[in-house]
Amino acid sequence: MSVKYTLSEKGNPSNPNAPKKWYASAIADGELSFRELSKEIAQGSTTVSDTDVMAVLNDLIKILGRNLSSGKIVRFGDFGSFQLTITSEGAATEQAFNASLIKNPKIQFRPGKDLKDITKTVTFEKYKR
């Protein structure tokens, strides 16, 4: 199975006079729902049902959120890690800075080795409309 992509022509924002170039963008080719994910995990085990897996994953989401919001990095072994990142507006002095200048909190995922290795073997196919 290949990752599908489309092409779009884009200009260089820092040099509007430069010739436009063509760039690839990956496109999604379906999705796996939470329920389908749970069923697939359960199929790999003879001891848990998809309902059990869903319950564990629901708790995982709650625990992940609670720990990220307290500033912790949450590591999932070989799967990868999650961390909250932020950006902020600038202040003229350190004393002038306050938390209201912090904007755009995001959750960053850093894949573990096995997931990173997938990027070395993935193939690509131009999307046919």
Side-chain angles (χ1 to χ4, degrees):
M1 199 55 109
S2 298
V3 172
K4 295 185 177 42
Y5 67 91
T6 59
L7 294 175
S8 59
E9 189 176 28
K10 297 179 183 178
N12 182 343
S14 63
N15 184 0
N17 297 325
K20 291 183 177 182
K21 294 184 180 180
W22 289 87
Y23 296 90
S25 295
I27 62 166
D29 190 20
E31 67 179 44
L32 182 68
S33 72
F34 188 69
R35 182 176 301 281
E36 291 165 335
L37 174 65
S38 299
K39 286 181 180 180
E40 206 166 310
I41 292 170
Q43 286 173 356
S45 171
T46 58
T47 59
V48 294
S49 70
D50 56 324
T51 305
D52 295 332
V53 172
M54 286 177 66
V56 170
L57 291 176
N58 275 320
D59 284 346
L60 176 67
I61 293 166
K62 292 175 195 168
I63 292 168
L64 180 63
R66 184 170 56 244
N67 283 277
L68 288 174
S69 64
S70 66
K72 293 181 182 168
I73 295 172
V74 180
R75 298 198 189 280
F76 281 81
D78 293 338
F79 178 68
S81 62
F82 293 87
Q83 181 177 5
L84 196 69
T85 63
I86 58 173
T87 58
S88 73
E89 294 178 18
T93 65
E94 185 176 352
Q95 293 76 20
F97 190 89
N98 63 63
S100 70
L101 297 174
I102 296 173
K103 308 288 181 204
N104 222 12
K106 294 182 180 177
I107 297 172
Q108 180 179 43
F109 174 70
R110 292 184 189 95
K113 183 182 179 326
D114 290 346
L115 285 178
K116 280 184 189 175
D117 287 347
I118 290 170
T119 62
K120 296 175 185 172
T121 60
V122 69
T123 59
F124 301 96
E125 172 186 331
K126 189 172 180 184
Y127 178 69
K128 296 173 181 82
R129 296 175 199 236

